[in-house]
Amino acid sequence: MRRIEKKCKNPECNVIINLHENPKKLFCNLSCKNRYHYLIDTIDNAEIISLNKALRTNNKLLLNLIEKGVFEINADAACALGFQKNVFMDIKHFNINGIQYVNLRRLKDVYFVYNPIRNVIIIYYFVNEKEVA
């Protein structure tokens, strides 16, 4: 009885599998199996992966600006650097020294506010609930 040729299930491989080993075999080796499942996972979780990438980019950019002493930046310039003003972890409401800060968008330990009237992003960095900027 002649068997039909079977190719590796990994779309990047296309190696013909020897069916005399195991007729149920789907992948030519373990690395192809891992790569196939990695590709499937990236397709299924593409939205989460892109959100995490945007959060990391925003956080790195804000930390670099704080390091350089810049606490207010034009929103268009920040967007040109890769900042996405609608991507943040959560919104924080709190009082410091009697001043109420409302709608601070949080990225780890850095906070920012987008002011649409002036078209600027104002960056806040707090150490032990004391304002640095």
Side-chain angles (χ1 to χ4, degrees):
M1 184 167 128
R2 188 172 170 193
R3 294 187 185 191
I4 301 170
E5 285 185 348
K6 195 173 189 181
K7 290 187 177 181
C8 182
K9 198 172 178 182
N10 182 4
E12 297 175 344
C13 181
N14 292 328
V15 170
I16 296 172
I17 300 172
N18 296 328
L19 290 175
H20 62 83
E21 295 172 8
N22 184 358
K24 295 180 183 178
K25 191 172 182 181
L26 300 175
F27 303 98
C28 59
N29 58 29
L30 190 58
S31 63
C32 273
K33 180 179 178 182
N34 290 337
R35 181 69 180 164
Y36 171 77
H37 288 295
Y38 170 77
L39 293 172
I40 295 298
D41 187 52
T42 55
I43 292 168
D44 291 345
N45 299 320
E47 186 177 344
I48 295 169
I49 292 169
S50 65
L51 178 66
N52 284 338
K53 190 182 287 187
L55 284 171
R56 277 194 305 269
T57 303
N58 282 357
N59 192 42
K60 282 181 188 176
L61 182 65
L62 291 182
L63 288 176
N64 285 339
L65 290 172
I66 289 170
E67 204 173 273
K68 293 177 182 175
V70 177
F71 293 97
E72 187 173 309
I73 186 169
N74 186 328
D76 296 331
C79 290
L81 292 172
F83 187 80
Q84 297 179 23
K85 61 186 175 221
N86 294 328
V87 176
F88 50 89
M89 294 173 73
D90 62 355
I91 297 177
K92 179 104 171 161
H93 305 277
F94 55 91
N95 291 324
I96 296 177
N97 298 331
I99 301 171
Q100 184 176 6
Y101 291 90
V102 180
N103 296 333
L104 291 181
R105 282 136 173 88
R106 182 176 76 91
L107 289 169
K108 290 189 180 179
D109 56 346
V110 180
Y111 299 87
F112 72 93
V113 172
Y114 171 64
N115 186 335
I117 296 168
R118 294 176 45 211
N119 194 32
V120 295
I121 295 171
I122 303 166
I123 305 165
Y124 296 92
Y125 184 68
F126 298 102
V127 178
N128 297 331
E129 296 297 321
K130 293 183 180 178
E131 185 177 354
V132 174

